[in-house]
Structures are given as C-alpha cells and as structure tokens.
Amino acid sequence: MEKLYDVIIIGAGPAGLAAGLYAARAKMKTLILEKDKTGGQIVTTNEVANYPGSIQNATGPSLIARMVEQAEEFGAERKKDTVIDVDFTEKVKVIKGEKEVYKSKAVIIASGATPKQIGCPGEKELIGKGVSYCATCDADFFTGLEVFVIGGGDSALEEAMYLTKFAKKVTIVHRRDELRAAKSIQEKAFKNEKIDFMWDTVVEEIKGDGIVEAIVFKNKKTGKITEYHADENDGTFGIFPFVGYKPQSDVYKGKIELTDDGYVITDADMRTSVAGVFAAGDIRVKSLRQVVTATADGAIAAVAAEKYIENHFD
Ligand code: NAP
C-alpha cells in the first residue's frame, strides 16, 4: 500500500525545515520534498547577521546544515523530487513528483521564490558566463575583475559588499536616485571604498560571445546610452542582478488562492484557501521576507497542520 504521510512539506529552505522540525517533533509522519539543493535562497547568502542567535561569521550554508540536522534528528524524512502537479480536491492530498506520487493528510507549501531576471537581451544567454545571481557561489570567478551589481535593495547592497572581497571594483547600478535597501545597510555600502554607484540607470543589453564582454546602460533621466567594455587585459567582467524575487507557485495556479503576482494568500495560521493546505515563508503574502519570519511561518504552519489533522482524521 502507498505510504500516507501526515504532512508533506514542499521546499527545504528555512520555512520548510522549521516546519519539518516542528511536525516531526510532534510525532507526525513527515516528508520534506526538495527539487534542488537544500536550503533555498539563504544558501546563496554569505552572511546571516540578523537571525537571532546567529554567531559571528555564520553563513547561509552553515545555518541550513544545522537546521537539516535538527529536522532529521526528530525523524523528518527528506527526498529530492520536483513537484509537477498537485491534487488538493480530496481530503487526502496528492502530490505528483517527477519521480513518485505522494499522499498526505496535510501539505505545507514552502517552495519560496527565485531570483528575477532583468529581462534584457543577452542576459539569459550569458548566465554562468559572466552573469550570475549568486555572489556566494560565483564571486571567486571575479577575483581581480570589475563587477556590476544591478538593483538597489538589501540583496544588491549586501551582495555588492561581499563581492568587494574579490573584485577590484563593484558598481551598483540602480534605476532610481534613491536606494530601497535598509538605512543600516546603505550606510555600510556608502562607506565601502570599492563600491561606486550609477544612479537612474537601467541595463539595456548584455553583450558577449560565449562570455560577457560589454554592457549597455541607459540613463532614465537623460535618455543617454552608454556602453561599457571589458578592460582589454581582463577580457570580461561580472554582472550580478539582484532585482527581487518571483514566488515559485506556478504549480498551484488554480488550485489555491494566489495574488496576481503569484504569492500564496494565507491567514495568520498559514492556512491557504484549501483546508489542509498551508503555506510558509517567502512564497506567501507578507511584509517581511527574512529567515526569522520564514522559520516562524514554518513553526506556525506545522502546529496548524497538526490541529487540522486531529480534527479531520481518526
Ligand atoms: P527588493 O527589495 O524587491 O529590491 C529589488 C531592487 O531591484 C529594487 O531596488 C528595485 O528598484 C530593483 N529592480 C527591480 N526590478 C528591476 C529591473 N527590472 N531592473 C532594474 N532594477 C530593478 O529585493 P531584494 O533586495 O532581493 O530583497 C527581497 C526581500 O528580502 C526584501 O524584503 C528584503 O528586505 C529582504 N532581504 C533582507 C536582507 C537583510 O535584512 N539582511 C538581505 C537580503 C534581502 P526600485 O527600488 O526602484 O523598485
């Protein structure tokens, strides 16, 4: 007979791992599904300074490793599979993975968000060839080279500061003349001598034959187009877009209530529009997307799922 889980958690970032820890600790038969690398966006972050209790120099990967260990210690099972469809119409929920079909009494969706692309010509073609969305993963390739960071939010500034440890110069390109990032982060970036800013500027095109060689900018106020070419000796440079994130919710379209831009709508107990289906972390509508709020969501969702199962299953 097919195994029936109490809770299946989709996504193994901080929200999913916290949900897994709470669910398994409550003795629920718990499965955490992850399509890719465990950890979600936080493993692409070098420094986690604002998670309470984080020790100095705590990195995204080290924090995730401890969360995984803790969830597994309590008995949460983990599998690598990509969810391609779900059926939430019956009391027992069905999750179709690429490898297997899974069944559970409750589901917690914690599949997070992925980096948005700028959307300019050349960007897609040059991913991994000078264009990167993960400073922690790729900064090393740009040791001694120039780097452009696109965006003006917390991610852009924090990752730009990290990149200064490798690059000879980092230029933050922002489409307005005022940053979106928190003031505390802005202050640090302004003090960093290796960081320059290009204001009111958008990227029109990225050029290169197999590797990034040039980038075309447009000043939004003056309309002036400028093209930056790689230094002759370097031959290339780096481009790191940090222009926000897109929720990974395509598979839930038409199955649970989403906003127009794809975020899952929940109540304060993480309940979605379908009974027995909960959501936690960056994928849901919320005002603050941080590790601390993701783990809190995960804990709340697991406890709410436990109550739901108690009330709806014998
Ligand atoms: P974000 O806050 O949405 O910022 C995105 C930035 O990219 C904005 O400056 C935006 O410009 C710009 N942008 C968007 N689309 C663009 C485009 N097509 N071309 C050029 N620029 C574009 O995203 P984020 O920085 O990744 O942060 C996401 C969430 O994570 C936030 O809630 C943030 O607070 C949080 N976070 C927190 C920390 C921390 O606390 N340490 C670290 C990282 C992230 P506009 O400003 O003009 O809209």
Side-chain angles (χ1 to χ4, degrees), residues 139-265:
D140 195 31
F141 297 132
F142 300 96
T143 302
L145 299 178
E146 280 219 32
V147 162
F148 291 91
V149 166
I150 321 301
D154 290 341
S155 301
L157 268 66
E158 288 202 331
E159 300 311 308
M161 285 189 274
Y162 176 67
L163 284 159
T164 59
K165 295 180 187 168
F166 302 82
K168 67 176 167 196
K169 185 182 158 197
V170 177
T171 305
I172 295 176
V173 181
H174 184 39
R175 63 182 178 184
R176 293 185 291 135
D177 59 3
E178 204 183 333
L179 296 166
R180 178 180 291 275
K183 287 277 175 286
S184 57
I185 300 176
Q186 289 192 28
E187 277 167 23
K188 276 203 220 162
F190 286 136
K191 273 193 208 147
N192 192 315
E193 288 180 352
K194 275 178 132 185
I195 295 182
D196 260 3
F197 289 86
M198 273 176 89
W199 302 106
D200 302 308
T201 303
V202 289
V203 180
E204 289 279 286
E205 190 178 352
I206 299 170
K207 294 181 178 176
D209 185 10
I211 193 159
V212 166
E213 290 163 6
I215 182 165
V216 181
F217 297 115
K218 181 179 181 182
N219 185 298
K220 283 184 76 187
K221 283 194 174 152
T222 63
K224 193 179 167 197
I225 303 276
T226 49
E227 187 162 336
Y228 173 87
H229 288 266
D231 180 292
E232 255 183 38
N233 294 326
D234 297 344
T236 188
F237 58 90
I239 300 171
F240 286 79
F242 291 107
V243 295
Y245 291 87
K246 182 185 172 300
Q248 302 211 70
S249 60
D250 288 353
V251 86
Y252 310 110
K253 255 181 212 157
K255 318 264 168 140
I256 53 172
E257 205 183 336
L258 304 176
T259 62
D260 289 345
D261 46 7
Y263 288 97
V264 180
I265 297 168

Side-chain angles (χ1 to χ4, degrees), residues 1 4 21 39 48 82 87 90 116 124 126 133 178 183 187 194 225 244 257 266 277-278 307:
M1 209 180 78
L4 176 65
L21 151 65
V48 186
T82 301
D87 184 350
E90 304 293 329
K116 264 197 215 156
K124 241 190 212 150
L126 290 162
Y133 304 87
E178 204 183 333
K183 287 277 175 286
E187 277 167 23
K194 275 178 132 185
I225 303 276
E257 205 183 336
T266 69
V277 179
F278 303 81
K307 282 193 192 135

Side-chain angles (χ1 to χ4, degrees), residues 42-61:
I42 196 69
V43 291
T44 65
T45 304
N46 187 58
E47 194 186 316
V48 186
N50 56 2
Y51 186 63
S54 258
I55 42 169
Q56 220 185 354
N57 300 327
T59 61

